[in-house]
Amino acid sequence: MSSSASPPPVPTAPGFGDSLDYVTIRVGEQLLGLPIGRVQDVFIANRITIVPRAPDEIVGLLNLRGRIVTAICLRKRLGRPVTLKLDGQGRPELTAIGIDHDGEAYALIVDAVGEVIRLDRSTFEPLPVHLDRVWAALATGIHRLADELLVVLDLDAVLDLDLRSAA
């Protein structure tokens, strides 16, 4: 018996201990991963109510099944120029990911939602040193896929808007 104690193993579902699951999204050409356990919904946002004097990242408020949701533009949050997709009637078509954070409901407005992927935990790498500072502050690491990088977002950092100073 060894004298050094190791931490107890983290309980996981059978067969999933060595994998990480993500919902993939795109902002521009970049593939991003959201931890699947944090994603509540995927939906098209419509009827957004603009909030005067809100921080730039906040698109507005919307009603999702009777719950008031704060819509955040992930493009703005990542410091990228905003582009809008329009539906057949010229209205903005906003693809959204529903997230709960500290008891509040948020919708991340993204360019596109991809698939759910399962990656081996051993392929997770720290952030590259040359990654844009804004992105580095909002990400936890990367996975190298066959033809591109998957940047894993830190949803707590993404949703940590300084609303008190904005008020």
Side-chain angles (χ1 to χ4, degrees), residues 27-42:
V27 170
E29 296 299 315
Q30 182 60 55
L31 183 66
L32 302 165
L34 306 176
I36 196 168
R38 299 286 305 272
V39 174
Q40 304 294 315
D41 296 292
V42 175

Side-chain angles (χ1 to χ4, degrees), residues 103-163:
E104 297 293 326
Y106 293 90
L108 289 180
I109 306 300
V110 300
D111 292 350
V113 177
E115 58 189 357
V116 173
I117 61 172
R118 174 169 289 144
L119 299 172
D120 191 271
R121 190 176 299 273
S122 67
T123 66
F124 184 78
E125 300 177 28
L127 294 169
V129 295
H130 60 278
L131 190 66
D132 178 275
R133 286 190 349 227
V134 172
W135 284 56
L138 301 176
T140 60
I142 63 164
H143 287 275
R144 293 179 196 272
L145 304 180
D147 54 353
E148 64 185 324
L149 289 180
L150 172 77
V151 177
V152 179
L153 289 180
D154 176 351
L155 288 175
D156 292 329
V158 169
L159 297 174
D160 185 22
L161 300 172
D162 191 4
L163 300 178

Side-chain angles (χ1 to χ4, degrees), residues 1-8:
M1 187 165 187
S2 127
S3 63
S4 64
S6 61

